[in-house]
Amino acid sequence: MSTYSSASDRDSIYSSPGPRDYQVGAGSTMSSANPPNTTSLPALLHSLRSHTINTLPALRRTERLIASLPPSTPNKADIAKALHDAWIYYVDYHSLLNELRGLTKTYPFSESCLEEAKRGVGKASGNYCYGVLKRVKDQGLIPSHARALAARPAMWGGRKPTATEIQKLASACEVEWTRVLNIVLRHWEG
């Protein structure tokens, strides 16, 4: 069986749970109930490479579809690599940040928090996006970034905030960011 990730990548605590050996096989349609036929595989490969599959739910659906297929098809290694690269593109070119910010309307999610998490996750590991999100949660990165944002004078019209103001804003950011992080991580449950 051909895989895209190494044994050490699969054992990482930031690897995506569930199947990481993306396999593509023969079938009749692009639904999860019926695997794609060989004529639709080039379209799937093109969609991944051109980033037209570019939202978290769409990438997860594609990942589950590919992981559920039998191993007997041409181009399965190419499709696995294209999916892996699509996840990296999604995280590195701010699509993940934009989706998180779309869910955190009151206090936009911290870019510096995601950047710190990205520095601690290898791009070769299982699912890069899952690894980054899991690192934010497991390393407790939200509180320090919420506090740093709340302490910025720019958040207070240029004036220096009081300790109470910093605490209130940091707490509000932390609650909203944690809620959204948990919502997004549910894409990998079940």
Side-chain angles (χ1 to χ4, degrees):
M1 174 157 72
S2 173
T3 63
Y4 186 69
S5 60
S6 71
S8 64
D9 291 338
R10 286 188 296 255
D11 296 334
S12 167
I13 63 169
Y14 298 110
S15 295
S16 177
R20 284 179 228 52
D21 301 328
Y22 305 116
Q23 304 162 358
V24 181
S28 60
T29 69
M30 284 294 290
S31 75
S32 59
N34 299 311
N37 62 35
T38 54
T39 59
S40 64
L41 294 178
L44 176 61
L45 190 58
H46 175 74
S47 294
L48 288 167
R49 287 180 174 161
S50 65
H51 311 294
T52 54
I53 299 175
N54 61 2
T55 65
L56 184 94
L59 284 165
R60 279 296 291 144
R61 275 192 303 274
T62 303
E63 184 175 54
R64 284 190 299 269
L65 171 73
I66 292 170
S68 71
L69 300 174
S72 59
T73 196
N75 301 328
K76 67 183 174 184
D78 291 339
I79 293 173
K81 182 172 182 350
L83 178 61
H84 179 80
D85 293 345
W87 277 117
I88 291 170
Y89 183 89
Y90 173 79
V91 173
D92 285 351
Y93 291 92
H94 302 294
S95 296
L96 174 59
L97 177 62
N98 289 336
E99 282 199 51
L100 290 171
R101 285 185 169 174
L103 295 169
T104 54
K105 303 269 188 214
T106 309
Y107 306 104
F109 200 90
S110 170
E111 180 177 5
S112 62
C113 183
L114 278 186
E115 291 299 320
E116 181 178 343
K118 285 168 33 177
R119 286 190 296 272
V121 177
K123 290 184 181 179
S125 65
N127 181 308
Y128 183 53
C129 182
Y130 176 80
V132 168
L133 293 169
K134 192 77 169 126
R135 183 171 170 81
V136 168
K137 184 173 185 167
D138 292 349
Q139 297 293 310
L141 301 180
I142 288 177
S144 62
H145 288 276
R147 184 157 181 79
L149 177 73
R152 284 191 208 152
M155 295 299 293
W156 302 94
R159 70 173 176 79
K160 185 177 178 181
T162 67
T164 302
E165 290 172 328
I166 292 171
Q167 181 54 42
K168 282 183 179 180
L169 180 55
S171 179
C173 289
E174 189 175 338
V175 166
E176 185 168 7
W177 296 352
T178 301
R179 178 188 60 80
V180 166
L181 178 66
N182 290 329
I183 288 169
V184 171
L185 279 169
R186 281 190 215 136
H187 284 282
W188 282 273
E189 291 178 359

